[in-house]
Amino acid sequence: LSNYIKPRIRMVVAVPSGITEVEKRAVEEAAKQVGATKVILVEEPMAAAIGVGLPVAEPSASMIVDIGGGTCEVAIISTGGIVHSNSARSAGGDAMDDCIQSYVKREYKLLIGERMSEAIKVEIGSAYPMGEEKSMEIKGRDIVTGLPKTLTVTSEEIREALREPVGQI
């Protein structure tokens, strides 16, 4: 065991672009407490841009919209760095799911869960009219009778439900 070499654990952590220095230190400390010997912090929009293959090192500008669960970050990236970024805390995927649930409850008196609203968002959600509008059969609990109910919603309706968070983005 005297010849045992402690492994060097390097960790890359994606963090929101608006993170403070105190928050950065807290993330680095947490990473070191779980065994990291070197911690590299990368802003989430940069990590997303690299992940989708945008030319982040080029002198031309690329724009990325990173919609996470709780926040949405929009950034302009050029020559390996973020030129400008903005974060909307109430425009993330969770807010979109909530808007879909509220819309279905208000318009159809139907309660749907988080999984159903997420599925609706992924399957037929859009920010802009599509060439071919889509529809989807959804299931939930009728508020009036308390019984299970199935109905069909369209991508146009879901676009209306998403108008507020999409407008914030």
Side-chain angles (χ1 to χ4, degrees), residues 77-146:
I77 298 171
S78 181
T79 59
I82 294 178
V83 177
H84 182 73
S85 68
N86 200 345
S87 180
R89 297 216 181 266
S90 59
D94 295 341
M96 291 180 184
D97 292 344
D98 292 345
C99 287
I100 292 170
Q101 287 175 320
S102 295
Y103 178 87
V104 171
K105 182 179 180 181
R106 182 177 63 252
E107 296 297 317
Y108 293 105
K109 308 292 185 250
L110 187 73
L111 293 176
I112 60 171
E114 290 177 20
R115 276 196 213 141
M116 181 57 68
S117 61
E118 173 79 13
I120 293 167
K121 178 181 68 183
V122 170
E123 290 290 320
I124 65 172
S126 69
Y128 190 76
M130 299 181 285
E132 181 183 328
E133 297 294 340
K134 299 179 182 180
S135 63
M136 179 178 177
E137 198 171 81
I138 65 170
K139 297 177 183 181
R141 184 167 51 90
D142 189 299
I143 294 174
V144 178
T145 66

Side-chain angles (χ1 to χ4, degrees), residues 153-169:
V153 294
T154 67
S155 53
E156 293 171 279
E157 291 177 290
I158 301 309
R159 196 166 35 257
E160 173 65 28
L162 295 174
R163 187 173 3 150
E164 184 182 334
V166 167
Q168 289 177 354
I169 293 170

Side-chain angles (χ1 to χ4, degrees), residues 5-25:
I5 298 171
K6 186 177 178 183
R8 290 182 33 91
I9 300 171
R10 293 171 290 194
M11 189 178 294
V12 177
V13 181
V15 296
S17 57
I19 194 169
T20 67
E21 288 301 317
V22 172
E23 291 168 325
K24 284 180 184 178
R25 282 195 301 276

